[in-house]
Amino acid sequence: MNTSDCLFCKVLERKIPAKVEYEDDKLLAFYDINPQAPVHLLLVPKKHIEKISDLEENHIALTGSLIYKAARIAEKNHWTDYRLVFNNGAQAGQSVFHIHLHLLSGRKMRWPPG
Ligand code: 5GP
Ligand code: ZN
């Protein structure tokens, strides 16, 4: 998919509004429009990568920083228990093809996820 057709690239360019929790030079963290828990954030790299399965070795630091920043955001907000999720592929629940880390918190989580 071209980045100009990508929903999350549009959010990153502020062409689509979002409630932003955190931003730095590498990523944007904003609240999911259809939350699946009392807290539901999406951490989105500024670089357009369609799927986790497309990751290359030079993306290791970037993807690590998504997880690290999720932990720091949770700590700052006193969210002690939370779930971090990447969906890879439509069958696994991916609907936006620009990688993103879900941070879910504020309720008891079930296992296994559906
Ligand atoms: P996926 O299903 O690809 O893992 O996650 C995509 C997420 O993006 C979904 O949880 C969905 O609710 C969220 N989403 C879709 N469109 C928008 C939007 O325009 N704004 C925001 N903030 N979230 C969106
Ligand atoms: Zn994109």
Side-chain angles (χ1 to χ4, degrees), residues 7-8 16 30-34 40 42 87 93-96 100 102:
L7 184 71
F8 287 169
I16 293 175
F30 55 92
Y31 286 86
D32 198 292
I33 203 168
N34 181 25
H40 188 171
L42 301 170
N87 295 323
Q94 187 175 4
S95 60
V96 178
H100 49 280
H102 295 260

Side-chain angles (χ1 to χ4, degrees), residues 18-23 28-31 41 73-74 76-77 79:
K19 187 184 170 199
V20 172
E21 169 68 26
Y22 174 82
E23 178 169 21
L28 187 71
F30 55 92
Y31 286 86
L41 274 178
I73 291 167
K76 174 175 166 277
N77 288 288
W79 305 327

Side-chain angles (χ1 to χ4, degrees), residues 3 6-10 12 47-49 97-98:
T3 57
C6 170
L7 184 71
F8 287 169
C9 282
K10 291 194 178 105
L12 291 167
K47 182 175 178 58
H48 178 89
I49 302 166
F97 286 81
H98 178 138

Side-chain angles (χ1 to χ4, degrees), residues 32-58:
D32 198 292
I33 203 168
N34 181 25
Q36 300 303 309
V39 173
H40 188 171
L41 274 178
L42 301 170
L43 287 94
V44 177
K46 292 191 172 176
K47 182 175 178 58
H48 178 89
I49 302 166
E50 287 189 15
K51 297 173 73 177
I52 288 292
S53 49
D54 294 330
L55 287 175
E56 297 168 8
E57 197 166 2
N58 63 313

Side-chain angles (χ1 to χ4, degrees), residues 51-88:
K51 297 173 73 177
I52 288 292
S53 49
D54 294 330
L55 287 175
E56 297 168 8
E57 197 166 2
N58 63 313
H59 299 139
I60 289 173
L62 177 61
T63 45
S65 76
L66 291 178
I67 297 170
Y68 178 75
K69 293 298 179 183
R72 295 287 72 77
I73 291 167
E75 181 179 53
K76 174 175 166 277
N77 288 288
H78 308 291
W79 305 327
T80 55
D81 295 36
Y82 48 88
R83 182 170 288 172
L84 302 179
V85 178
F86 287 107
N87 295 323
N88 186 73

